[in-house]
Amino acid sequence: MDISKINLKEIGYLKGFFLGDGYKYHDLKGRKYYVEFYVHSLNDKSILEFLVNTVKKAGLNPNVYKDKRFYCKRIRITNKYFSSIFDKDFEKMNISQEQVIGFISGFLDAEGYVNNKKSFIQIVNTNHKVLEFIKKELEKLSVKSSIS
């Protein structure tokens, strides 16, 4: 695996999407580390392709499964180092503006939607800390936002 082949915006995207629709675990018995991303709408082929291609750029081999229980696609990566990328608390990350933009994009793809009729973007999440972090970062980018 060579994480340097993934740019900062893509790393941010992976972290943001993971925070919204990701999961990781360590199989102690099998001694494997898993990272999974869930793409909930089977129509979101572009998101699925982006995630798979980004992970492949780093030299990893993602497995894609159709999860009938949740009517979604599940992307599984088995790699200890890749798993460790998602260990840090998002609030403690010292990240560049490029990575922040990627993070917000990934989180929006996981937890939000765009209302083209009313020209707004909405993120739905119960983690107030994440929403405050995104609001603060959007303000730095001169993007007006609110939490309700």
Side-chain angles (χ1 to χ4, degrees):
M1 184 185 123
D2 186 0
I3 197 72
S4 68
K5 292 187 178 183
I6 302 175
N7 68 43
L8 291 175
K9 190 173 180 183
E10 292 167 332
I11 290 171
Y13 183 92
L14 291 173
K15 288 181 177 185
F17 197 91
F18 177 83
L19 190 60
D21 282 330
Y23 177 72
K24 75 176 209 161
Y25 62 97
H26 177 204
D27 177 5
L28 293 172
K29 189 174 180 179
R31 299 189 317 190
K32 292 184 179 180
Y33 293 80
Y34 297 99
V35 174
E36 294 185 348
F37 297 100
Y38 294 86
V39 180
H40 289 285
S41 173
L42 296 177
N43 297 326
D44 287 337
K45 292 177 184 168
S46 61
I47 294 171
L48 180 72
E49 288 174 10
F50 180 79
L51 288 167
V52 168
N53 291 334
T54 302
V55 171
K56 282 183 176 181
K57 274 177 41 174
L60 295 168
N61 185 27
N63 295 303
V64 179
Y65 304 94
K66 188 173 183 178
D67 193 327
K68 294 177 185 175
R69 298 172 299 162
F70 303 112
Y71 194 64
C72 69
K73 292 271 185 150
R74 182 172 46 154
I75 304 164
R76 178 184 287 168
I77 301 98
T78 306
N79 185 280
K80 182 178 181 178
Y81 179 74
F82 187 72
S83 174
S84 71
I85 293 170
F86 304 99
D87 284 346
K88 294 181 181 174
D89 186 358
F90 77 94
E91 296 172 295
K92 296 176 183 172
M93 294 187 300
N94 184 14
I95 57 178
S96 68
Q97 184 175 354
E98 187 178 3
Q99 199 169 355
V100 167
I101 291 168
F103 178 88
I104 293 170
S105 296
F107 195 75
L108 176 64
D109 279 349
E111 298 292 297
Y113 67 94
V114 176
N115 185 325
N116 289 321
K117 278 187 176 179
K118 296 185 179 181
S119 300
F120 71 86
I121 296 171
Q122 184 169 359
I123 296 174
V124 180
N125 194 278
T126 58
N127 187 332
H128 197 70
K129 286 183 181 180
V130 176
L131 297 175
E132 285 292 340
F133 172 79
I134 290 173
K135 183 178 185 324
K136 180 183 78 167
E137 295 301 328
L138 287 172
E139 286 171 1
K140 289 180 188 177
L141 298 167
S142 300
V143 176
K144 188 175 140 184
S145 64
S146 63
I147 297 175
S148 56

